[in-house]
Each structure stands twice: as structure tokens, then as C-alpha cells.
């Protein structure tokens, strides 16, 4: 039940004539406000979760499709303007408009899959891939997961790089042992993120040599026998290149899309292109490209262009893919990776804003992908 009357009342100074703004009029005004990423109005998108009208004070509840929405400020401004304009039509010149945001990540529209969905409580599975090793794929995966969690999302991070798991170091898992409940693994819960890695289940110094079916089995078990609980996003750090694990992943789980990490050099772009083509062949959407090691930020504050800054962005453009942002080579980023303290990246304002921008653009692309009905195609690979 509404706490306040659902009309704004305008009292004449002389007479007691009143003019009211009906809730429906405010709703009509909100039909003129689009979510800029989703390209439809807030009412049609079902994002209006309440309108309260208390005399000249009008409050609008807007439910975003992700807590990391990059368009929050724009939506707030547009809602305020549209509601004030409507209030003016009813003679209320000094309406105060408050926008209250909540967020609920929407599940991707999924076609019925053969074999069902083994992770029904996970709303989005996001693969992070790269054409080659060493470009910062694990670094971006960790910071994407931690960054989305900082915005308030429920996030899991799976180390799918079963050949060379990096998460034990990058998340600082050394002091923790893996625990199981029956035949399910309990994820580590650190830095606001639930995580699982093979690196905590096998001898870390042993070379992990897997034949195709073994890699398939190991990855499948890690992904589906971990008790993730309810998640908005499950980020999967894939091995570099175009091997068995992406194929297993695409067959096993309904992927919302893949993020490609690339450094600016031409050779890295060529490999990243191959990774993009692989995902496309597997029927997986590309959410976008992140340019890592864009330039080097010296102690003198100068930016040194080592690798050809903007190369990965140009590659994204030429392939018609969204660009999700860039991160420079930053000594602190490497130090925090080695120390297993990713949250410390947010103590450095420039780094924090670069990472937040990547998280927000990725979240926006996930929301956009979710709006496309029945987009998932189960991969059928034919070898000729
Ligand atoms: P990949 O997963 O692609 O093999 P990693 O994420 O493991 O690459 O990164 C390789 C190394 O480079 C790590 O030591 C990591 O800390 C470092 N690194 C990655 N990105 C950056 C960056 N932008 N600035 C500084 N060091 C970085």
C-alpha cells in the first residue's frame, strides 16, 4: 500500500482550489525516458518499481538491470527532467523529484538446452579469453569479478585455466585449504567474490598435462560441482588460445558472452582475432574487447606508449565489437596481483576509475545481450 497519497496537490493562494498530478501522468512522462543502452523506455522495460506523490515531492523507484549500470546518472537526470516537465503541466512549478535506484540483474533469455542447465542459479556465465598468454587475461578476470562485486553484484570467479591456474596467487588463497561437502566443493569467499581453482586441489608445482577428455572432465567438475549458490555473474578465466576448454564450456553452460583481453601490439591483435572467431564459431556472443597494457604510466606521471596504444580498440572497431575500456601497465596492479590483494587496486584513483569503467561497460553489454530473445545457439562443430 502506498504511504503517500498518489496525487500532487496545488493549492491556490486565495481559494482552496486544488490541482492534482495523477500517478498515471507521471508514468506517461516516464514513457518518454529511454534506457540509453537498452534503447527502450523505462516503463516498457519494467524498470519503474514505484511512484509516490506527496504534495510537491515526487519519488520514482527505478530498478536497473545491473548494479554496475554506467547510465545511472543520465537516467536520474532524464527522469527528473521528464517528471518536472509533467508536473509543470499540472501547475506544479517547484516539484522536487527523487529517484531511488535498486538493481536486479536479469537472466539471459535462453533457449531450452539439450541436457538442461547445470547451473540454474547463475544468471550469467561470462568467459574471459585471450589469443595468447601473458596479456593479462587472469588479471582482468580477477578485477572484473572484484569490481562487479564492489558495485553490489553477486559474483563467482572460476579459474578455467586448468593448465596454469593463477587464481591461488592473484586472490591470495595460499593460507586457505579447499573444503568439500559431500561431493560438492565449497568455493573460497574472499574480496567479495566466490572463487574456485584447480590450483588449490592439485600440487601447484606439478605441470598439469591433460589430454582432451581429461581437460574436459576436470573443467566440468570444477564448474558444476562447486556450490556457487545464487550468482548474478560467474566469470570464467579461460586458458589462452583456442583449445579444449572453451569448447567444453560452450557445450556445458549457457554463456551470455565472452570478453576478449588483448594488448595493443599487432601480433596480439592477430591472436585475439582468432579467439574472437573461435567464440563466434561456438555460437558465443562477444561482449567486447579490453585493451590491457595500453601504455606505461611512469613514476614521473608521464604516459609512455610502448606497444601502440589504441591497437586493441582499433581491432574491436574493425570487427564491429564493443570496446570495454583499457588499463595501462601499472606497477601497483602487478604488485597487488602478486600479493593477492586485488581490492587495493581501488585505493589508486586512476586505476580504480579504469577498472570501474571496464566493469560498467561489461555489465551494460551483458544487460544488452540479455534483452535479445533466444539468442543462445548450442554449438555444433563439424570437422571437414
Ligand atoms: P594471462 O592470464 O593473460 O596469462 P596474467 O593476467 O597472468 O596474464 O598477467 C601476466 C603478468 O602481467 C602478471 O604478473 C600480472 O600481474 C601482470 N600484468 C597484467 N596486466 C598488467 C598491467 N596492466 N600492469 C602491470 N602488470 C600487469
Amino acid at each position: 500500500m502506498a504511504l503517500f497519497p498518489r496525487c500532487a496537490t496545488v493549492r491556490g493562494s486565495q481559494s482552496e482550489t486544488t490541482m492534482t498530478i495523477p500517478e498515471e501522468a507521471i508514468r506517461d512522462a516516464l514513457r518518454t525516458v529511454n534506457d540509453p543502452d537498452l534503447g527502450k523506455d523505462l516503463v516498457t522495460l519494467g524498470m519503474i518499481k514505484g511512484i509516490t506523490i506527496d504534495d510537491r515531492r515526487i519519488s520514482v523507484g527505478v530498478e536497473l538491470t545491473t548494479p554496475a549500470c554506467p547510465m545511472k546518472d543520465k537516467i536520474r537526470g532524464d527522469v527528473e527532467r521528464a517528471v518536472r516537465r509533467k508536473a509543470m503541466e499540472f501547475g506544479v512549478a517547484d516539484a522536487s523529484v527523487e529517484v531511488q535506484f535498486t538493481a536486479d540483474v536479469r537472466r539471459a533469455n535462453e533457449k531450452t538446452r539439450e541436457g538442461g542447465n547445470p547451473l540454474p542459479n547463475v544468471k550469467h556465465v561470462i568467459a574471459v579469453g585471450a589469443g595468447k598468454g601473458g596479456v593479462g587475461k587472469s588479471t582482468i578476470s580477477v578485477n572484473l569479478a572484484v569490481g562487479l562485486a564492489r558495485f553490489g553484484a553477486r559474483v563467482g570467479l572460476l579459474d578455467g585455466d586448468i593448465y596454469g591456474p593463477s587464481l591461488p596467487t592473484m586472490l591470495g588463497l595460499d593460507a586457505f585449504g579447499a573444503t568439500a561437502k559431500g561431493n560438492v566443493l565449497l568455493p573460497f569467499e574472499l574480496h567479495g567474490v566466490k572463487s574456485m581453482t584447480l590450483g588449490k586441489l592439485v600440487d601447484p608445482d606439478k605441470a598439469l598435462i591433460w589430454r582432451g577428455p581429461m581437460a574436459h572432465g576436470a573443467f566440468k567438475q570444477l564448474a558444476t560441482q562447486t556450490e556457487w549458490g545464487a550468482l548474478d555473474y560467474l566469470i570464467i578465466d579461460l586458458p589462452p588460445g583456442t583449445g579444449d576448454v572453451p569448447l567444453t564450456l560452450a557445450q556445458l553452460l549457457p554463456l551470455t558472452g565472452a570478453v576478449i583481453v588483448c594488448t595493443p601490439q599487432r601480433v596480439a591483435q592477430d591472436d585475439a582475432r582468432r579467439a574472437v572467431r573461435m567464440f563466434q564459431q561456438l555460437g558465443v556472443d562477444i561482449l567486447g574487447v579490453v585493451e590491457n597494457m595500453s601504455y606505461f604510466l611512469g613514476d614521473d606521471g608521464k604516459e609512455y606508449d610502448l606497444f601502440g596504444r589504441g591497437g586493441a580498440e582499433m581491432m574491436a572497431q574493425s570487427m564491429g565489437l564493443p570496446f570495454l575500456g583499457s588499463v595501462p601497465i601499472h606497477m601497483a596492479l602487478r604488485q597487488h596481483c602478486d600479493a593477492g590483494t586485488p581490492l587495493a587496486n581501488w585505493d589508486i584513483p586512476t586505476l580504480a576509475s579504469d577498472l570501474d569503467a571496464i566493469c560498467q561497460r561489461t555489465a551494460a553489454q551483458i544487460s544488452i545481450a540479455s534483452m535479445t530473445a533466444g539468442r543462445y545457439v548450442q554449438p555444433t562443430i563439424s570437422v571437414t
Side-chain angles (χ1 to χ4, degrees), residues 129-133 137 238-246 271 274-276 278-279:
K132 55 162 70 233
K137 175 184 49 56
L238 287 176
T242 51
D244 299 311
V245 175
D271 284 335
R274 277 188 279 276
V276 168
M278 170 197 69
F279 281 114

Side-chain angles (χ1 to χ4, degrees), residues 227-248:
E227 195 168 272
W228 296 109
L231 294 180
D232 294 317
Y233 307 111
L234 175 60
I235 310 290
I236 302 190
D237 177 16
L238 287 176
T242 51
D244 299 311
V245 175
L247 176 57
T248 300

Side-chain angles (χ1 to χ4, degrees), residues 55 97 126 274 370:
D55 204 16
V97 183
I126 309 300
R274 277 188 279 276
S370 316

Side-chain angles (χ1 to χ4, degrees), residues 55-351:
D55 204 16
R56 288 170 167 76
R57 280 184 295 151
I58 301 166
S59 168
V60 180
V62 177
E63 185 183 80
L64 301 168
T65 57
T66 169
C69 177
M71 291 296 162
K72 205 168 166 176
D73 291 338
K74 163 124 181 71
I75 292 173
R76 185 197 303 281
D78 289 353
V79 166
E80 285 173 354
R81 265 188 299 280
V83 172
R84 268 199 212 102
R85 215 180 300 125
K86 184 57 77 179
M88 293 276 275
E89 287 175 20
F90 284 79
V92 182
D94 56 351
S96 93
V97 183
E98 192 192 3
V99 183
Q100 286 171 336
F101 287 112
T102 51
D104 185 26
V105 175
R106 295 187 187 184
R107 187 171 281 286
N109 285 316
E110 192 199 332
K111 275 188 181 167
T112 315
R113 294 167 56 84
E114 211 178 290
N117 178 359
L119 297 179
N121 295 324
V122 175
K123 290 183 180 172
H124 295 282
V125 181
I126 309 300
V128 180
K132 55 162 70 233
V135 298
K137 175 184 49 56
S138 299
T139 306
I140 297 298
S141 302
V142 166
N143 285 285
L144 186 58
V146 171
L148 286 170
R150 284 183 85 259
F151 277 108
R154 296 166 302 172
V155 186
L157 175 60
L158 172 62
D159 197 344
D161 193 347
I162 53 170
Y163 304 96
S166 312
L167 293 202
T169 302
M170 289 192 180
L171 293 177
L173 300 178
D174 284 353
F176 302 88
T179 46
K181 198 172 73 183
N183 66 345
V184 283
L185 293 161
L186 300 181
F188 301 93
E189 293 193 42
L190 275 169
H191 323 294
V193 167
K194 289 184 179 174
S195 58
M196 185 44 67
T197 170
L198 197 66
K200 292 298 297 181
L201 305 173
V202 297
D203 181 349
D205 291 330
K206 234 186 195 162
L208 296 174
I209 304 162
W210 304 99
R211 273 183 285 117
M214 290 162 71
H216 176 88
F219 177 80
K220 189 174 170 184
Q221 281 183 37
L222 274 188
T224 59
Q225 289 180 18
T226 297
E227 195 168 272
W228 296 109
L231 294 180
D232 294 317
Y233 307 111
L234 175 60
I235 310 290
I236 302 190
D237 177 16
L238 287 176
T242 51
D244 299 311
V245 175
L247 176 57
T248 300
L249 171 61
Q251 286 172 330
L252 184 67
L253 299 174
L255 275 164
T256 300
V259 169
I260 303 293
V261 180
C262 184
T263 51
Q265 311 93 309
R266 181 64 200 273
V267 281
Q269 289 174 41
D270 292 344
D271 284 335
R273 270 200 181 86
R274 277 188 279 276
V276 168
R277 299 277 182 242
M278 170 197 69
F279 281 114
Q280 289 172 336
Q281 252 182 302
L282 293 173
V284 176
D285 282 352
I286 306 294
L287 295 169
V289 175
V290 173
E291 178 168 298
N292 189 28
M293 309 193 194
S294 215
Y295 56 93
F296 170 66
L297 193 60
D299 281 344
D300 52 8
K302 271 197 195 155
E303 295 177 1
Y304 297 88
D305 184 352
L306 301 183
F307 296 146
R309 184 175 182 171
E313 184 171 3
M314 272 163 49
M315 180 210 79
Q317 260 170 18
S318 71
M319 296 188 86
L321 302 172
F323 183 62
L324 302 173
S326 56
V327 189
I329 298 175
H330 207 302
M331 211 198 311
L333 186 58
R334 199 274 306 150
Q335 285 166 338
H336 299 150
C337 269
D338 281 357
T341 53
L343 279 167
N345 292 329
W346 275 265
D347 295 338
I348 300 164
T350 55
L351 192 51

